[in-house]
Amino acid sequence: MQRIDHPLPWSPTGTSRHLSVLRYGSGPCKAYIQASLHADELPGMRVAVELRRRLLQLESAGRLTGVIELVPVANPIGLSQLFQAAVQGRFEFASGRNFNRDFVDLAAAVAAHVEGQLGSDGPSNVRVIRRAMAEALDALPAPASELEGMQRLLLRHACDADVVLDLHCDFEAAVHLYSAPQHWPALRPLAARLQAGAVLLAEDSGGSSFDEACAMPWQRLRQRFPEAEIPLACLATTVELGGMADTEAERAVASAEAILAFLAEQGLIAGDWPAAPEHCCEATPFAGAQYALAPHPGVVSFFKQPGERVERGEALFEVIDPLSEQHSIVRAETCGVLYARERMRFARPGLWLAKVAGATPIRQGRLLSD
């Protein structure tokens, strides 16, 4: 195992933070796994503890047939943001920006540089594009903020990976995944191993999140250069490992083993692994997800648990204003799975309280929340 500690390249206060990358194995293929880019989403860190332990064992046994890079703490900035003893890890205090938005568009950065260099040899094209991606990131002007510098470091390590897993969680949730439709057949075994309750698919959900910044440049370059053979060379997904309180050791061990078995299927680990379960949830369009809001403030009581299936018109939660006694019941607008719900129990206008994964598109434009 090799440990790489990158100092974050910009600090407003003269203090120093580091991003630590753990590299295991060697070989022609590479997987990149990062945990808790939203720094208060701790299940990913807990799973990374188990991954670190197991990867050391597998490396010592000579079973790693590729490179696996693990970033157990992907956001040291957010982890240091405390307000009244609680980590505030989703948005940077200095700018208000979401840590998992606005990553560099690598397709735009490299298109001009690879023009005329791409032909009918897919593997050769992959090497040309990956080299151009790394060079483009290295050639960017100095970062304007610590956040920008951290995002570039993360993307620099992931841009040459065949598999990218970005480990997150929601407030209270079933395990669920976000990815592109083109990647769903390859990701189905991972979803089955993790016993995911939902998989949300979108080619571009808006906001340039980390997994899309890794995967979508290949699709965009295919569209830009249709005469060239350009494989979809990065299989990337955001894995939501349940809810924020789901850090139990037994669950973390099971999630880590599911991820390792999936990496073995991708050719990165040798040996015998249990087959993926045959049963798996069906993937649905991200545009089919209902974000249920409260019509007025009040105390919230949920009727459904994360992972439960709901029918259209079925009650999801009620909201009662304790002063006016205004009472509302919010219902499902689609048939599907309640895959996440808010942990707070007081409704505020404009903030979602429950998410339902439905099969029929009901939203347009930007699909990601802030």
Side-chain angles (χ1 to χ4, degrees):
M1 187 270 285
Q2 178 188 8
R3 176 170 177 154
I4 306 167
D5 288 320
H6 294 286
L8 295 190
W10 198 94
S11 173
T13 62
T15 58
S16 176
R17 276 187 275 259
H18 289 75
L19 182 76
S20 295
V21 181
L22 309 181
R23 180 178 293 163
Y24 304 85
S26 62
C29 299
K30 176 179 173 180
Y32 173 88
I33 307 169
Q34 68 179 26
S36 304
L37 180 54
H38 289 144
D40 50 352
E41 297 177 3
L42 300 180
M45 284 192 207
R46 185 62 183 86
V47 170
V49 170
E50 300 303 326
L51 287 172
R52 181 175 182 173
R53 177 181 61 82
R54 289 287 283 122
L55 286 169
L56 279 173
Q57 294 173 349
L58 292 165
E59 186 178 51
S60 298
R63 292 178 58 186
L64 297 185
T65 54
V67 174
I68 300 176
E69 287 189 349
L70 175 65
V71 183
V73 180
N75 185 359
I77 303 171
L79 197 59
S80 70
Q81 294 183 161
L82 294 176
F83 179 72
Q84 295 182 348
V87 173
Q88 307 294 311
R90 187 174 182 85
F91 302 97
E92 186 198 31
F93 279 173
S95 64
R97 287 174 53 193
N98 188 316
F99 285 107
N100 193 24
R101 303 290 184 269
D102 304 316
F103 279 85
V104 173
D105 181 354
L106 286 174
V110 307
H113 299 282
V114 300
E115 192 164 9
Q117 299 185 53
L118 305 176
S120 59
D121 186 338
S124 176
N125 290 339
V126 170
R127 290 191 292 272
V128 168
I129 292 168
R130 284 179 173 164
R131 183 168 58 248
M133 286 177 172
E135 292 172 352
L137 285 168
D138 292 342
L140 288 172
S145 68
E146 192 178 26
L147 169 57
E148 190 173 279
M150 185 185 77
Q151 287 183 323
R152 289 186 194 174
L153 279 173
L154 296 172
L155 195 54
R156 182 66 174 81
H157 274 275
C159 70
D160 62 347
D162 302 279
V163 177
V164 171
L165 305 180
D166 191 13
L167 306 183
H168 287 253
C169 73
D170 215 311
F171 295 128
E172 296 177 350
V175 174
H176 56 285
L177 281 67
Y178 295 94
S179 194
Q182 299 92 329
H183 293 320
W184 169 231
L187 288 171
R188 192 179 190 279
L190 177 62
R193 291 183 184 278
L194 290 169
Q195 300 179 31
V199 176
L200 292 306
L201 302 179
E203 188 165 301
D204 183 357
S205 57
S208 190
S209 60
F210 183 79
D211 68 316
E212 291 186 356
C214 293
M216 293 319 299
W218 299 94
Q219 179 67 15
R220 291 168 182 156
L221 289 171
R222 282 161 65 106
Q223 295 167 352
R224 173 74 179 269
F225 303 107
E227 72 285 356
E229 178 62 32
I230 302 177
L232 297 176
C234 181
L235 177 63
T237 180
T238 293
V239 180
E240 305 275 353
L241 293 163
M244 298 182 83
D246 292 330
T247 59
E248 297 87 355
E250 183 177 358
R251 181 173 180 142
V253 169
S255 296
E257 290 301 317
I259 289 170
L260 292 171
F262 173 72
L263 295 181
E265 290 175 339
Q266 301 301 309
L268 288 138
I269 307 174
D272 295 327
W273 295 83
E278 291 187 9
H279 174 74
C280 183
C281 67
E282 294 300 321
T284 57
F286 194 9
Q290 175 192 358
Y291 279 41
L293 310 178
H296 57 80
V299 181
V300 177
S301 298
F302 287 104
F303 298 129
K304 295 291 182 179
Q305 297 293 321
E308 285 192 66
R309 182 159 187 87
V310 299
E311 300 301 319
R312 184 175 181 178
E314 198 168 357
L316 299 175
F317 56 86
E318 65 179 354
V319 184
I320 304 174
D321 187 316
L323 293 178
S324 70
E325 296 187 338
Q326 184 177 6
H327 175 254
S328 298
I329 294 179
V330 176
R331 301 180 182 276
E333 297 174 358
T334 185
C335 299
V337 174
L338 176 71
Y339 66 95
R341 67 185 194 184
E342 172 60 78
R343 65 176 181 226
M344 304 298 290
R345 295 299 190 266
F346 193 86
R348 301 182 187 280
L351 298 180
W352 67 268
L353 288 169
K355 300 177 184 177
V356 179
T360 302
I362 57 175
R363 298 191 296 150
Q364 296 179 344
R366 180 178 171 128
L367 302 175
L368 286 171
S369 60
D370 290 335

